[in-house]
Amino acid sequence: MQRGNLSAVSEFVFMGLSDAPEIRLLLFVLFLLIYLATMASNITLLIAISTDSHLHSPMYFFLGNLSLLDLLCPTITVPKMLGALLLEHKEISFSGCLFQHFSLIAVVGTEIFLLAVMAYDRYMAVCHPLRYPSIVSMKLCAQLALGTCATGLLNSLLHTSLVFTLTFCGPNRIQQYYCDLPPMLALSCSSTHSTELVILVVAGVLGSSACMVTVVSYICILLEILARMSPGIWHRAFSTCGSHLAVVCLFYGTTICTYVRPSSTYSPHWDRVVSMLYGMLTPLLNPIIYSLRNKDVKCALQRVISQV
């Protein structure tokens, strides 16, 4: 970080979602309810996975990690947005913006690689069911989870260092409700072409690698299903992979719309809508998708709720 950055811009100001007090209050209540529902659903799923012995398997271990990331993602951005809506406290310090940006990119990157690992887990379960328990051990699961976390942190460190070593000497109003990558690049008064190129290359290599693992895993699953063509195999495969496939499509769709494009196409209004879908609705929908499509999870959740 350059010392000149701190003297030129010491804080940033988020652009509000609305200037009308009535609309702000309505949005505050709406987003607070969504946030509380996201917290409750993911915490309940984590409790069910950790306490139910039937869910102590690699598939649910990774699902627990996904729920943990879905807890962190809105917690990084939503409380600050709620404070801006209720108290009109829209300022954030330079260091606070840096930390928020680093944390969000780390969670996003970790989730991308975790979804790829979950796709590999489903491939092993469908295509190699007899060897699955010996290959996908809990030790391997822990190593894969730590690897996804380390890769996400390193990726975030690179992105954050590239963005926050730029010069910010002019406008400090962020066209977003959190410190996101496109609006931060748009605020810089120095050239961002080389920074954007490096970010796009790194994100493209890492993201495409994770996406390739996911796609290849599901192609192998499809080929295995077509080769067997046993009665009921389509239903079993869909019950095993349907939830994860739906989560992958939802996550990649919103992430690609948000990040995989140059800053020249940045649209504040469109990006706010997409970021809300990604940052708030996706963490809420993930546990619901898995709960609706999985009988074991539903039974475990019923036991947790009955105990409560």
Side-chain angles (χ1 to χ4, degrees):
M1 187 190 309
Q2 296 177 355
R3 182 175 297 274
N5 287 346
L6 296 175
S7 61
V9 174
S10 60
E11 66 178 15
F12 295 97
V13 180
F14 296 124
M15 295 297 293
L17 299 176
S18 175
D19 295 327
E22 299 82 4
I23 300 298
R24 287 206 313 269
L25 181 60
L26 179 62
L27 292 175
F28 172 81
V29 174
L30 175 63
F31 293 143
L32 178 62
L33 292 176
I34 294 176
Y35 179 64
L36 293 177
T38 302
M39 296 295 103
S41 59
N42 283 285
I43 290 174
T44 304
L45 187 56
L46 278 172
I47 294 174
I49 292 173
S50 60
T51 58
D52 196 307
S53 59
H54 297 90
L55 302 183
H56 292 173
S57 64
M59 173 182 175
Y60 300 110
F61 172 80
F62 293 128
L63 180 56
N65 281 269
L66 181 64
S67 293
L68 182 60
L69 293 175
D70 286 338
L71 281 173
L72 294 175
C73 185
T75 302
I76 294 170
T77 59
V78 174
K80 184 67 178 178
M81 180 191 67
L82 294 176
L85 288 171
L86 186 64
L87 306 174
E88 295 192 50
H89 183 68
K90 303 176 183 179
E91 297 80 14
I92 186 171
S93 65
F94 191 94
S95 58
C97 189
L98 185 151
F99 178 76
Q100 189 183 67
H101 182 273
F102 173 82
S103 303
L104 183 63
I105 298 297
V107 170
V108 172
T110 303
E111 189 162 343
I112 289 175
F113 298 114
L114 181 62
L115 290 174
V117 169
M118 294 174 72
Y120 169 75
D121 173 69
R122 294 300 83 208
Y123 157 73
M124 293 300 300
V126 174
C127 299
H128 304 282
L130 298 179
R131 300 170 55 198
Y132 176 74
S134 59
I135 296 177
V136 187
S137 62
M138 292 307 297
K139 180 180 179 180
L140 177 62
C141 293
Q143 292 173 344
L144 290 173
L146 288 175
T148 59
C149 182
T151 308
L153 289 173
L154 291 175
N155 176 61
S156 179
L157 181 62
L158 174 63
H159 280 65
T160 306
S161 61
L162 287 173
V163 172
F164 283 85
T165 51
L166 295 172
T167 303
F168 297 94
C169 55
N172 66 339
R173 301 179 69 85
I174 300 177
Q175 299 288 337
Q176 187 57 278
Y177 65 90
Y178 61 93
C179 295
D180 199 11
L181 183 61
M184 294 304 299
L185 290 175
L187 284 180
S188 176
C189 54
S190 57
S191 176
T192 61
H193 295 296
S194 58
T195 301
E196 287 186 55
L197 181 61
V198 174
I199 290 175
L200 285 175
V201 170
V202 173
V205 171
L206 295 178
S208 60
S209 299
C211 183
M212 186 63 65
V213 171
T214 304
V215 171
V216 171
S217 297
Y218 276 104
I219 290 176
C220 293
I221 290 173
L222 179 61
L223 293 177
E224 182 71 16
I225 292 173
L226 295 176
R228 291 186 190 177
M229 289 306 293
S230 59
I233 190 171
W234 281 103
H235 175 73
R236 291 195 300 271
F238 186 73
S239 63
T240 302
C241 307
S243 300
H244 178 259
L245 192 58
V247 169
V248 167
C249 293
L250 183 63
F251 179 85
Y252 273 99
T254 53
T255 305
I256 289 173
C257 290
T258 303
Y259 296 109
V260 186
R261 55 188 174 81
S263 60
S264 58
T265 62
Y266 174 66
S267 171
H269 301 292
W270 169 249
D271 277 38
R272 288 178 192 175
V273 175
V274 175
S275 61
M276 286 178 187
L277 290 175
Y278 164 73
M280 299 186 69
L281 290 183
T282 301
L284 173 63
L285 293 176
N286 284 351
I288 296 175
I289 291 172
Y290 272 100
S291 301
L292 292 177
R293 293 296 312 164
N294 194 300
K295 292 182 179 179
D296 293 334
V297 174
K298 284 193 288 187
C299 293
L301 289 175
Q302 289 173 358
R303 286 191 286 268
V304 170
I305 293 173
S306 63
Q307 290 176 359
V308 173

